[in-house]
Amino acid sequence: VQLQASGGGLVQAGDSLTLSCVASGDTITTYVVGWFRQAPGNEREFVAASRITSTTANYADSVKGRFTISRDNRKNTVYLQMKSLTPEDTAAYYCAAGRRNPALSAMSLERMYDYWGQGTLVTVSS
């Protein structure tokens, strides 16, 4: 499975942005899919994940209520809608997919994911 993330860019605080992650090589309908991010000088951290259906989702506390993960199975694509962005959201964002079916609490663990896309950079100016 290859994952191609896109949609990053430079925005101002308070703006919205939607990232996309297109999968190829296999359908990801039954995969767990997630978004992680890595800010300069920091370790990569979990952002959001969706298991099979978008109704089963897990979010980092820092993005709850502002970010929404969704997927379009017809397009084999996962989205991350981001609202009310702050400079603290500045990071390279990575999408990931895994063949496992983890518990909700485990969806934040990187070892649940088998495939990773390249990062797309989001920069939020104050």
Side-chain angles (χ1 to χ4, degrees):
V1 174
Q2 292 79 46
L3 303 173
Q4 181 72 41
S6 62
L10 173 62
V11 297
Q12 294 186 331
D15 283 353
S16 300
L17 198 63
T18 298
L19 306 182
S20 300
C21 178
V22 180
S24 60
D26 196 5
T27 58
I28 59 171
T29 305
T30 59
Y31 284 41
V32 59
V33 292
W35 289 93
F36 292 75
R37 67 185 182 185
Q38 186 169 20
N42 291 354
E43 294 187 352
R44 190 160 58 188
E45 64 177 7
F46 169 74
V47 176
S50 168
R51 186 177 65 181
I52 300 180
T53 66
S54 298
T55 57
T56 306
N58 191 9
Y59 296 92
D61 289 342
S62 59
V63 306
K64 278 181 181 177
R66 300 189 299 122
F67 290 13
T68 303
I69 187 171
S70 62
R71 61 168 79 191
D72 185 336
N73 289 331
R74 296 171 301 172
K75 297 182 178 180
N76 223 25
T77 300
V78 182
Y79 303 98
L80 184 67
Q81 296 174 285
M82 306 183 293
K83 299 180 181 179
S84 303
L85 287 162
T86 73
E88 289 68 38
D89 295 316
T90 294
Y93 284 71
Y94 299 86
C95 59
R99 296 186 299 269
R100 299 167 181 81
N101 188 24
L104 194 65
S105 59
M107 290 162 64
S108 62
L109 302 176
E110 291 194 16
R111 65 176 182 267
M112 293 293 114
Y113 300 87
D114 305 294
Y115 309 102
W116 293 81
Q118 89 295 351
T120 184
L121 183 62
V122 174
T123 304
V124 184
S125 64
S126 57

